[in-house]
Amino acid sequence: MPELPEVETVRRALEIGLDGLTVAGVDGHSVMMRRALDVEFIASRIDGRAFTAARRKGKFLLLDFDGAGTLMIHLGMSGRLMLCETTEPILDHTHLTLSLSDGRELRFVDPRRFGLAQWLGPGEEACEPSLESLGVEPLDPAMEILLPEHFHSRKSPVKSLLLDQRLVAGVGNIYAAEALWRAGIRPTRKGSQTSIRRLRRLAVETRNVIEEAVAQGGTTIRDYATPSGDFGYFAVKLQVYGKQGQPCPRCATELKGTRISGRATVWCPECQR
DNA sequence: CCAGTATCCTGCAGGC
DNA sequence: TGCCTGCAGGATACTG
């Protein structure tokens, strides 16, 4: 759901919204998420600590507290972080609430529970497998060299490769569809059957679409909101995602839909080869 | 090692 | 109106 641009938007909002604040209480109930959420443990580490930084790695959000450690958060498919007044109604599936020193609350809501909130003590971030294994950031200039290098030796469809966080960190189903359409590459094409030149083009278009989306504050579709709870977003204009059966914006050919490794996939049979 | 599938969970849309 | 099915922006454990 939230892909890199949405997580980056949340990160920027929290960097400003949490600046100078201290945690003045932790509430929630421990539930099974992607990993077990341990509210008591998080509370024991974070209570009374000052927020110092909000970082992002791929789709992971990392909130640093006063040298004590880091709260690692992944939003999964349906996760939201909301910076609320205490008077605002508590949504269903609010799993973790941090009371803040300015009287507001940071709430982590995730109906489907594919998300994750986990405390990382000093030094633990460096050996956290899901962070350690992340591939190149799309906005890193090295992307243009690394994507072609990694994809060209693989037999999977390029679409699957783009979604593999160990190769490129932060691309999800929406921006994968958009990047492949922009690059003129059929999602079913195998990495090994795509020229280095075209893979370099894919790297560039992936960066472009992510960059545009970040610039515009992320795409809002269904259950995503900024920490302020705002939905007031103007999406990057999506050209193909969710538009199977409709005309291609470039050549008017009917967009096709299929599934690749279980994920909905759209492409133009005319201008993607 | 690699490629492909099953699975965790809730909410919603569409068909009957 | 309700019941059922399938699908949703993700990651990973497992199979062959």
Side-chain angles (χ1 to χ4, degrees):
Chain A
M1 148 147 344
E3 303 186 28
L4 188 157
E6 289 74 28
V7 178
E8 177 61 20
T9 301
V10 173
R11 187 198 69 75
R12 291 179 185 184
L14 291 180
E15 187 166 64
I16 294 164
L18 295 179
D19 185 47
L21 299 184
T22 295
V23 177
V26 178
D27 195 16
H29 38 266
S30 297
V31 291
M32 197 57 202
M33 305 194 62
R34 197 166 102 212
R35 297 177 194 169
L37 170 65
D38 190 340
V39 175
E40 303 304 315
F41 184 70
I42 291 172
S44 72
R45 302 287 133 160
I46 212 175
D47 204 7
R49 297 290 182 167
F51 165 81
T52 52
R55 296 175 292 127
R56 180 191 57 75
K57 289 186 178 178
K59 300 174 194 170
F60 289 86
L61 193 60
L62 299 166
L63 304 182
D64 294 336
F65 289 88
D66 202 13
T70 300
L71 185 61
M72 173 173 73
I73 293 174
H74 193 292
L75 299 175
M77 296 273 263
S78 56
R80 292 165 62 179
L81 280 169
M82 312 178 73
L83 214 38
C84 311
E85 303 298 330
T86 52
T87 52
E88 290 178 57
I90 295 167
L91 298 179
D92 280 350
H93 312 291
T94 299
H95 304 303
L96 182 68
T97 300
L98 306 186
S99 298
L100 303 167
S101 50
D102 67 350
R104 288 185 303 162
E105 292 178 343
L106 180 65
R107 298 179 187 168
F108 177 39
V109 186
D110 184 8
R112 290 177 71 182
R113 286 191 262 148
F114 288 179
L116 152 76
Q118 184 182 332
W119 181 257
L120 299 175
E124 286 180 352
E125 183 180 332
C127 51
E128 167 54 44
S130 46
L131 297 177
E132 218 182 345
S133 64
L134 288 175
V136 65
E137 289 278 334
L139 300 179
D140 182 338
M143 178 71 171
E144 253 175 88
I145 304 296
L146 293 177
L147 184 148
E149 196 175 297
H150 290 140
F151 282 24
H152 197 63
S153 61
R154 302 289 224 97
K155 288 182 181 162
S156 298
V158 281
K159 166 83 184 299
S160 307
L161 298 174
L162 261 184
L163 293 177
D164 187 339
Q165 303 297 300
R166 294 166 302 184
L167 302 178
V168 177
V171 179
N173 210 27
I174 292 182
Y175 296 117
E178 298 297 315
L180 286 162
W181 179 80
R182 289 179 180 219
I185 297 172
R186 199 167 283 220
T188 50
R189 177 172 287 279
K190 295 178 190 317
S192 54
Q193 292 174 348
T194 315
S195 70
I196 295 290
R197 187 188 139 83
R198 300 185 71 205
L199 289 172
R200 205 177 302 127
R201 172 91 190 280
L202 178 60
V204 169
E205 296 299 351
T206 301
R207 186 188 60 214
N208 287 346
V209 72
I210 297 257
E211 228 167 43
E212 289 170 29
V214 166
Q216 296 181 51
T219 305
T220 298
I221 293 195
R222 196 181 304 144
D223 27 17
Y224 163 75
T226 67
S228 61
D230 269 342
F231 281 87
Y233 276 97
F234 38 73
V236 157
K237 179 140 167 74
L238 299 178
Q239 309 281 3
V240 290
Y241 178 80
K243 298 189 189 286
Q244 57 271 37
Q246 298 181 39
C248 168
R250 191 189 286 124
C251 72
T253 303
E254 185 176 314
L255 295 174
K256 289 203 151 211
T258 186
R259 292 193 150 259
I260 295 178
S261 47
R263 310 298 302 278
T265 301
V266 195
W267 82 96
C268 171
E270 183 59 31
C271 49
Q272 289 178 262
R273 301 286 179 169

